[in-house]
């Protein structure tokens, strides 16, 4: 993990490499990958020996590909650095179908040419920015075309970045892992999760393990429960055809939220080396016992939005969105109560909720501490709220500690007060898409922020039984929340049954 968006004198530029982007004519390349590479370049973090080869089916030439990328940069990255214009010959394009062996012959020729012109020293980063059905196909063809070298100590490297979704259940994720692992070694595979590129998410690890004051109370003795919310006010943004086959559990919870859970619940690693951190993270997922069907009915809630009002605008219901079946039973909201069954967390509920078209965009984690053991002031009219620590991941990046203080005056009265740290006070004005750190890390071989095969499978082991039960028992009350609200009422009941309530994001 680096802070690759900062210009730090002690961060070296990434290794020389040729980056091959499959699906280069798609949205991800234009919106995220190119703007991030542009930011890395501006910050001196790309090697001068760097080239990009786009591969896709669209009939483009090198020139028209460059023009498209330039337009994308202007649209999503703002102005273009003059250095980038000078280096536009580092961008080239290979047209071809992903399942056609000839595509890979042309790609090999292009890599050989780039090796002469840009000297990436034999290092190749393959990036699969394609729909998931091509992940296995492309990898197999790369292997067959002998474009993948085994890992060697200090020699040229070949690495593979795989976008989400990684499988749609345990079985398909295992099959995909097997397919990738016949061609690549696990140490060469970087399963990307853009949530882990967020500064505030990376900070969870540092917040917990660099400061000494939190760790002693970070356990079942002091923490009553933890709430995690990924709320989005947007709907499905024209991605109906994809989302209707996925649902929020697959789209957000199984990947992004389970990673947040790992960071919040993991044991201290012995170092910040990639494998050490990942070893501790995967143990959290192993400690979440998959639920039995009866438990799933009691500890999970799903919802789907109907028409409503978001930011003062009337918006259609999910079933009226383009690409969505008119009687769709896909969930756009889910809430789960999970237990991490280990000595640190036994009996502490972790409540996770995620939803589309909610009242606000907010990702936050609330750690609620146990109440003080004695109520010293029995006649107090205003009972103190339990202490809470809130990690606001986005959009307003902050960490807030909530506690009670005496109101000034002769009478003993309490006021809820906060201590707050705002990320913006650290003054990093560098533009960032969230992909910079991740791309830089792949190019220097730091895998800490990426999912490992066993992590993905452990996450699916928890999520798949829920999906199975939901599929076997189609919901009868969908749509069950109006767009622009905080989700279905049953999600409140989930916490109310334990005497808790969701903390509404501030
Ligand atoms: C993606 C999901 O992984 O994450 C989207 O597919 C979701 O549905 C997005 O909107 C949220 O990411 P962010 O960074 O905007 O919170």
């Amino acid at each position: 993990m680096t802070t690759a968006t900062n210009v730090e004198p002690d961060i070296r530029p990434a290794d020389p490499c040729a980056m091959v982007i499959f699906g280069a004519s798609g949205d991800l390349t234009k919106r995220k990958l190119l703007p991030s590479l542009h930011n890395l370049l501006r910050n001196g973090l790309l090697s001068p020996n760097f080239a990009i080869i786009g591969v896709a089916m669209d009939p483009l030439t090198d020139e028209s590909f460059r023009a498209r990328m330039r337009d994308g940069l202007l649209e999503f990255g703002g102005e273009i650095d003059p250095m980038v214009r000078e280096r536009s010959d580092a961008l080239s394009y290979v047209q071809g179908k992903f399942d056609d062996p000839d595509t890979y012959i042309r790609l090999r020729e292009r890599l050989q040419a780039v090796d002469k012109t840009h000297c990436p020293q034999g290092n190749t980063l393959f990036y699969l920015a394609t729909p998931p059905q091509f992940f296995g196909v492309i990898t197999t063809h790369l292997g067959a075309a002998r474009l993948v070298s085994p890992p060697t100590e200090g020699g040229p490297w070949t690495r593979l970045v795989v976008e989400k979704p990684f499988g749609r259940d345990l079985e398909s994720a295992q099959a995909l892992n097997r397919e990738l692992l016949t061609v690549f070694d696990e140490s060469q595979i970087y399963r990307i999760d853009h949530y882990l590129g967020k500064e505030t998410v990376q900070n969870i690890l540092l917040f917990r393990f660099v400061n000494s004051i939190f760790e002693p109370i970070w356990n079942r003795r002091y923490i009553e429960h933890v709430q995690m919310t990924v709320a989005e006010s947007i709907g499905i943004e024209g991605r109906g055809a994809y989302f209707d086959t996925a649902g929020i559990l697959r789209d957000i919870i199984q990947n992004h939220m389970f990673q947040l859970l790992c960071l919040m619940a993991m044991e201290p690693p012995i170092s910040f080396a990639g494998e050490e951190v990942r070893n501790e993270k995967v143990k959290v997922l192993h400690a979440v016992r998959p639920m039995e069907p009866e438990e799933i009915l009691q500890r999970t809630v799903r919802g789907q939005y109907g028409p409503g009002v978001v930011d003062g605008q009337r918006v259609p219901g999910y079933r009226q969105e383009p690409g969505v079946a008119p009687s769709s039973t896909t969930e756009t909201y889910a809430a789960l109560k999970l237990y991490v069954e280990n000595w640190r967390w036994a009996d502490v509920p972790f409540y996770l909720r995620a939803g589309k078209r909610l009242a606000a965009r907010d990702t936050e984690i609330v750690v609620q501490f146990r109440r003080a053991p004695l109520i010293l002031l029995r006649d107090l009219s205003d009972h103190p709220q339990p202490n809470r620590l809130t990690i606001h991941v986005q959009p307003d990046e902050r960490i807030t500690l909530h506690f009670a203080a005496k109101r000034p005056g002769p009478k003993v009265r309490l006021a809820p007060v906060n201590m707050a740290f705002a990320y913006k006070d650290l003054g990093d004005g560098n533009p960032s898409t969230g992909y910079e750190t991740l791309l830089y890390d792949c190019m220097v071989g730091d895998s800490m922020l990426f999912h490992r095969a066993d992590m993905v499978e452990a996450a699916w082991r928890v999520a798949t039984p829920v999906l199975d039960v939901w599929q076997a028992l189609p919901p009868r009350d969908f749509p069950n929340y109006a767009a622009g609200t905080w989700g279905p009422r049953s999600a409140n009941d989930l916490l109310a049954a334990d005497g808790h309530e969701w903390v509404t994001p501030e």
Side-chain angles (χ1 to χ4, degrees):
M1 174 172 73
T2 58
T3 49
T5 47
N6 299 326
V7 194
E8 301 281 356
D10 55 343
I11 301 186
R12 67 173 172 93
D15 295 357
C17 80
M19 178 171 176
V20 179
I21 306 177
F22 287 92
S25 56
D27 240 28
L28 182 74
T29 309
K30 202 165 60 172
R31 281 173 185 268
K32 301 284 184 190
L33 302 184
L34 260 289
S36 314
L37 292 165
H38 183 235
N39 288 337
L40 287 174
L41 179 72
R42 282 204 289 206
N43 291 332
L45 293 170
L46 270 192
S47 164
N49 302 117
F50 176 77
I52 297 173
I53 303 174
V55 185
M57 285 174 267
D58 302 34
L60 297 175
T61 60
D62 286 348
E63 257 327 303
S64 54
F65 178 61
R66 283 172 197 151
R68 194 187 270 212
M69 295 300 114
R70 253 193 320 267
D71 293 348
L73 266 189
L74 284 174
E75 190 179 350
F76 300 105
E79 50 175 342
I80 302 184
D81 197 283
M83 211 167 22
V84 174
R85 291 190 193 278
E86 277 163 35
R87 289 181 57 176
S88 68
D89 68 329
L91 273 175
S92 64
Y93 185 75
V94 171
Q95 187 208 340
K97 290 192 172 155
F98 301 138
D99 58 358
D100 178 359
D102 286 349
T103 304
Y104 299 83
I105 295 172
R106 288 197 297 281
L107 175 59
R108 176 203 296 279
E109 287 163 3
R110 183 59 58 88
L111 276 166
Q112 284 162 351
V114 162
D115 215 37
K116 294 205 179 78
T117 51
H118 290 83
C119 307
Q121 300 178 12
N123 297 331
T124 316
L125 184 67
F126 293 113
Y127 198 113
L128 306 185
T130 65
Q133 66 268 29
F134 295 114
F135 294 167
V137 176
I138 295 171
T139 312
T140 307
H141 279 285
L142 288 174
R146 286 192 274 124
L147 285 166
V148 181
S149 342
T152 52
E153 196 62 44
W157 50 255
T158 313
R159 296 183 187 134
L160 178 76
V161 183
V162 190
E163 268 292 336
K164 61 162 281 206
F166 199 94
R168 47 176 292 107
D169 53 20
L170 177 59
E171 208 183 318
S172 55
Q174 285 172 326
L176 182 55
N177 273 332
R178 276 196 300 274
E179 220 168 355
L180 302 189
L181 287 165
T182 51
V183 178
F184 287 89
D185 183 76
E186 176 62 32
S187 65
Q188 298 174 291
I189 304 175
Y190 291 70
R191 297 173 192 79
I192 204 162
D193 180 333
H194 81 282
Y195 249 68
L196 296 177
K198 294 182 191 287
E199 289 287 351
T200 31
V201 172
Q202 292 169 29
N203 188 48
I204 297 173
L205 202 63
L206 298 177
F207 175 80
R208 286 192 54 202
F209 299 129
V210 169
N211 300 303
S212 63
I213 54 173
F214 302 107
E215 202 43 29
I217 54 168
W218 209 259
N219 56 50
R220 64 193 300 275
R221 184 146 182 225
Y222 297 99
I223 293 178
E224 185 182 66
H225 74 266
V226 179
Q227 301 184 12
M228 299 185 179
T229 299
V230 175
E232 292 184 284
S233 52
I234 54 170
I236 47 167
E237 306 278 282
R239 297 192 305 152
Y242 149 74
F243 195 89
D244 214 32
T245 61
I248 204 88
L249 188 67
R250 289 188 175 96
D251 189 49
I252 302 266
I253 298 183
Q254 181 275 344
N255 42 40
H256 308 322
M257 291 195 86
F258 280 9
Q259 286 296 313
L260 294 180
L261 172 70
C262 289
L263 291 168
M264 290 298 289
M266 68 190 270
E267 294 300 314
I270 58 166
S271 77
F272 279 147
E275 288 314 310
E276 301 299 347
V277 172
R278 300 200 301 178
N279 287 343
E280 293 305 334
K281 280 169 73 177
V282 75
K283 284 188 203 163
V284 175
L285 295 171
H286 287 311
V288 180
R289 186 175 46 80
M291 287 182 267
E292 297 297 330
E294 196 55 38
E295 292 172 307
I296 291 169
L297 298 179
Q298 287 162 7
R299 287 170 32 194
T300 71
V301 167
R302 56 190 152 152
Q304 188 191 75
Y305 63 85
V309 178
V310 174
D311 295 331
Q313 303 277 332
R314 284 215 69 77
V315 296
Y318 176 69
R319 290 177 178 177
Q320 289 83 52
E321 300 271 13
V324 171
S327 57
S328 168
T329 54
T330 299
E331 83 287 353
T332 60
Y333 177 100
L336 317 178
K337 174 163 97 169
L338 299 177
Y339 287 103
V340 178
E341 297 186 5
N342 60 20
W343 275 52
R344 187 191 283 263
W345 295 115
D347 302 327
V348 177
F350 284 78
Y351 302 104
L352 277 58
R353 64 174 168 169
K356 297 277 181 194
R357 283 284 189 232
L358 296 186
R361 173 173 186 247
D362 218 308
T363 297
E364 68 175 45
I365 304 172
V366 176
V367 177
Q368 180 151 321
F369 292 92
R370 295 192 186 283
R371 287 177 188 275
L374 275 182
I375 309 231
L376 299 175
L377 306 159
R378 289 200 179 278
D379 52 349
L380 210 60
S381 53
D382 29 24
H383 276 294
Q385 293 287 322
N387 294 131
R388 288 197 316 263
L389 177 82
T390 308
I391 301 176
H392 305 264
V393 173
Q394 63 183 18
D396 179 15
E397 292 95 347
R398 280 174 296 137
I399 297 180
T400 314
L401 186 63
H402 307 259
F403 57 102
K406 181 184 173 303
R407 283 185 196 276
K411 199 163 176 317
V412 177
R413 293 190 54 213
L414 293 177
V417 293
N418 296 333
M419 275 199 295
F421 151 69
Y423 230 78
K424 63 178 176 349
D425 293 346
L426 286 182
D428 174 12
N430 280 322
S432 153
T433 67
Y435 268 71
E436 288 81 357
T437 302
L438 298 170
L439 288 174
Y440 177 86
D441 285 358
C442 310
M443 291 188 248
V444 297
D446 182 348
S447 56
M448 181 169 119
L449 297 177
F450 296 83
H451 296 209
R452 208 168 57 188
D454 56 342
M455 290 165 78
V456 176
E457 292 181 14
W460 279 121
R461 227 167 247 121
V462 177
T464 304
V466 178
L467 291 165
D468 289 346
V469 167
W470 285 358
Q471 196 185 348
L473 298 173
R476 275 176 288 176
D477 60 347
F478 277 11
N480 59 356
Y481 70 99
T485 64
W486 280 107
R489 195 167 298 159
S490 42
N492 296 341
D493 301 340
L494 180 73
L495 270 70
D498 299 338
H500 305 313
E501 57 186 40
W502 292 108
V503 176
T504 305
E506 294 148 14

